[in-house]
Amino acid sequence: MGMAKTKRRYVCQACGSVSHRWQGQCSDCGEWNTLAEEAPATVFSQKHDLSSGGRPIAFEPLDAPGKELRRRPTGLDEFDRALGGGLVPGSAILMGGDPGIGKSTLLLQAAGRIARAGGDVVYVSGEEAAGQVRLRAARLELADAPIRLAAATSVRDILTTLNGMEPPALLVIDSIQTMHSDTIEGAPGTVSQVRGCAFELIRYAKETGAALVLVGHVTKDGAIAGPRVLEHMVDVVMSFEGERSHQYRILRNLKNRFGAVDEIGVFAMADDGLEEVANPSMLFLSGRDAPLAGSAVFPALEGTRPVLVEVQALIVRLQSGATPRRAVVGWDNGRLAMLLAVLESRCGLNFSSAEVYLNIAGGYRLTDPAADLAVAAALVSALADKPLPSASIWFGEVSLAGEVRPVAHPGVRLREALKLGFDRAHGPAGAGEKIPDIRYDELGSLAKLVDRIAS
Ligand SMILES: Nc1ncnc2c1ncn2[C@@H]1O[C@H](COP(=O)(O)OP(=O)(O)OP(=O)(O)O)[C@@H](O)[C@H]1O
Ligand SMILES: [Mg+2]
Ligand SMILES: [Zn+2]
């Protein structure tokens, strides 16, 4: 064996990429100040010959009888919906989300439901003392749920204990960034610790069939490794979202090795915990009576469920030649820039000397591409200072040429809008299914939209 050589290693705490010199910005993910020096990796100068000395592996046909995919519902329907039907035994789930958004609350509630239904649950808190978790449990009226609770941070202690008992149906680790392994150098929360600890816990889950949930904090400061370094290691990546100032929380599935990722779970945060919101279609409307310039209602689709969302735009004319601001909450920045460019070049509107603010009401984050037309309608309405007709909805995708393109499931969107009292819709040509009580306005292009609103 040759001499071991060592090199300085700087690991991006956001995405895990390694570089050999320090840089202010990660060249892979573009985050700033996320590079931190970590224990040097050992590099052997002599190559190992891997072509002999191993044990033969067994090959299997693809149609070999295997275990059927059995899901265990948590009993929290909105959680199960976002999971795609429940927890898959032996799977690893990463639950990300901003500080204080409600991750521990959600998981304790799910754990409580499973435990009360007779499932064995182990909840390991590395963040809070057992007493703190008990206080939360009391507030959630779960104090009597037979959950095994422990405050621990050593993965060796946790796995030693678990290996001495029947594997639980659910193992919650809150959070992975507080865990440490004595076989790995570095402080808890560094990329190598987070990866190494996750690796051991995931192996335990795979071997025993326990479903594993790892809580992962989303951080930007680079002191702690973020969930992105784990995304490829786990089977399911979920994100718990919302604005802390609003009561609504959305559980999204960003990656799912066992199913689709298009359903969301919707909850409302209350004093006694998260309440499930089975019918979220009205939540993200402001409920104002008088129509306001710059506000447009968009019928979004979240998986199979329609959700009506209010898009709000504000335009402020600048007197001086200062660079105008564009600020977006709840929608894609790049998409807004594109829409503004299309409105300028295809419709002759001028936003160049104006500040543009775009907000999606209720802390909602819009990802449905059909939102383009509603955003454009809000922008044009704000620019012209003319409110849009009340009780109307807008949907359609906008192309660079300024055409309004068809979108998925116009009928579902229209029917839900009608149910909630909207009797006027604007969208792409051909999308107006024959829903007699709704007046459907075909808008083939943005130019036509501008005509309709500004004239
Ligand atoms: N009576 C209450 N006491 C404490 N928190 C409450 C209460 N009622 C509602 N909450 C909500 O619970 C939230 C905290 O939830 P939780 O601790 O589950 O979040 P978390 O995502 O696990 O946070 P952390 O990042 O600190 O681990 C608070 O932000 C608050 O909105
Ligand atoms: Mg927590
Ligand atoms: Zn990075």
Side-chain angles (χ1 to χ4, degrees), residues 340-353:
L340 289 172
V342 174
L343 283 168
E344 291 197 328
S345 72
R346 309 285 173 199
C347 312
L349 300 184
N350 183 6
F351 293 94
S352 63
S353 64

Side-chain angles (χ1 to χ4, degrees), residues 81-82 84 251-254 256 259-265 301-305 409:
R81 173 193 286 278
L251 184 61
R252 270 179 211 283
N253 198 324
L254 306 179
N256 188 358
V261 292
D262 53 358
E263 296 286 351
I264 60 168
L301 266 190
E302 289 290 354
T304 53
R305 286 190 298 187
H409 307 296

Side-chain angles (χ1 to χ4, degrees), residues 98-105 127 136 139 217 269-271:
D98 286 338
I101 205 70
K103 302 176 294 294
S104 304
T105 305
E127 219 132 80
R136 178 179 296 118
R139 181 160 57 82
H217 290 298
M269 179 63 90
D271 275 349

